Amino acid sequence: MSLHHLTTTAAAHVLVQPVDAYTFTSGRLWSVVGALLGLAGAVIGGLALARSARRIGNGGRRGATVALGAGLACTVIGGLVVAAAEGGPGTGYGIVGGWVDLVVGLIAMVLGGLALARSRRTA
């Protein structure tokens, strides 16, 4: 056996190591970051939507804009995680979290958009 073959085999063995369900990989980290952004955007968007219904302050425009930005960031992160994943659920690439990010980011953007539309209509 040549040194090159041994090195390649050893590298392949390290890369193909199974990942435990609780191992925090970089893909999972980015999925969590995206989910937190999206969750914050959804909460802020919901509050802005409620504020726009009450017609107090600026009608929730600032919160709506923040919700749109956070939802967009969450969706982009989720899309990148899903696009970069080389395996399915349980492989450590964060693909499940990436799909969750896509959904939560979309919810945050819808809430922010509704709040922004309502605040413009009442202004």
Side-chain angles (χ1 to χ4, degrees):
M1 282 190 158
S2 69
L3 181 61
H4 175 60
H5 177 69
L6 288 173
T7 309
T8 308
T9 306
H13 180 68
V14 168
L15 293 175
V16 183
Q17 289 280 334
V19 176
D20 187 71
Y22 300 105
T23 303
F24 207 63
T25 61
S26 61
R28 289 175 178 165
L29 173 68
W30 280 109
S31 293
V32 169
V33 167
L36 290 174
L37 270 172
L39 184 60
V43 168
I44 292 169
L47 292 172
L49 190 59
R51 181 169 290 157
S52 68
R54 285 188 256 134
R55 296 185 177 120
I56 59 172
N58 66 359
R61 272 180 262 139
R62 186 178 307 144
T65 305
V66 170
L68 282 169
L72 179 64
C74 176
T75 304
V76 167
I77 290 172
L80 290 173
V81 167
V82 169
E86 296 178 4
T91 57
Y93 288 104
I95 192 160
V96 174
W99 285 109
V100 169
D101 291 348
L102 290 172
V103 172
V104 172
L106 182 64
I107 291 169
M109 287 192 295
V110 166
L111 288 172
L114 286 172
L116 192 60
R118 187 179 285 176
S119 70
R120 285 183 178 167
R121 190 178 42 199
T122 58

